[in-house]
Amino acid sequence: MTQTSGEDVMLRTPLCDVLGIDVPIILAAMGGTASSAEFAAAASNEGALGSIGSLFRTSAAIKRDVDMVKELTNRNFAVNHIPPTLDAEAFRHTLAARPAVISFALGDPGDLVRQAHDVGSKVMIQITTVAQAIEAAERGADVIIAQGGEAGGYGGIVSTMALVPQVVDVVSPIPVVAAGGIFDGRGIAAAFMLGAVGVNMGTRFLASKEAPIEDAWKAAIASAQSEDAVKVEVLNDIQPLPGTAGYGTVLRSLRTPFMDEWGTKREEARRDGERLWTEIQARARVGRRHETLLTAGQTSGGITEILSVAEIIRQLTAEAEKVLSRGPSLASR
């Protein structure tokens, strides 16, 4: 963080230089219908780093977004890939597009890091344990995202507060980004105090006007309490991702009748997983997603407004600058 004269604080960190962005805020790469070129561009155009997700998406949708985002922004953006379920066609298309950043999550990317570097892209790797962070550093990551268990996306059991400083200590001088449990400027300031140089945020941006999800999903986030966002372990029974057992990650969802029911029948869910996954998708298509799966992190309890992406980023920046400018006075109390 760079501090100017008096109490003015400019929210710029070394992450901004590494990724070529103005503010150290990353729109998390999310899967399924929660990702689009338009969504990513909205974040990038405001000086943050927008991300395009690939999980649970078709090759055509990913390729469309990689091509389209360049028409919507001249700023840097990231394209995310999941090593255990890598879409080889979409990854080749990503490499050909040479985005500023290629990110990986939910598994060891191995040689994919070298391939990304070979086309000139920076590499971010998201991890959920210290051991994974060490592995990511050894692979040559330019940035490491340490995601705590509070997050809505597939996360582990270690909290952000405990995970981030440990990761900072073992991977220094590689920049570390904090994820999970951050929804306002106070969370950004706290991440900096833990040694992170930026934040990766998903749930706060899902509750935005540009998020390509149903209004009912956004409204559910804005009206939920933190305790409503629960780990849905049964989803790994219904739709097991290769590598999730070893990586130890579980998605969070706001409580729904479907997940409440099948969470008590996990053996049956394992046997009937394909049918149940089809049912989840079918209900979503007809506007009944609220009955099955509403991905969200524990920050949902602190989110009460659905704003534009630009408004969210400006609000986050102003709040963080205000908190950070009070640092010396707070420490003297």
Side-chain angles (χ1 to χ4, degrees), residues 251-289:
L251 193 75
R252 278 193 189 275
S253 168
L254 299 180
R255 292 189 62 176
T256 66
F258 185 92
M259 289 299 164
D260 283 348
E261 175 189 356
W262 288 100
T264 65
K265 301 186 292 187
R266 293 187 59 186
E267 187 62 38
E268 186 177 344
R270 275 190 285 272
R271 293 195 302 267
D272 213 9
E274 186 174 348
R275 180 186 69 80
L276 293 175
W277 183 244
T278 299
E279 183 177 340
I280 290 171
Q281 295 174 307
R283 290 199 202 183
R285 284 195 294 270
V286 297
R288 295 168 57 194
R289 184 187 300 275

Side-chain angles (χ1 to χ4, degrees), residues 6 19 38 50 63 72 97 106 111 120 211-212 217 248 250 252 267 329:
L19 301 183
E38 293 81 359
K63 290 163 66 176
L72 302 174
L106 304 182
D111 187 59
W217 187 352
V250 181
R252 278 193 189 275
E267 187 62 38
S329 62

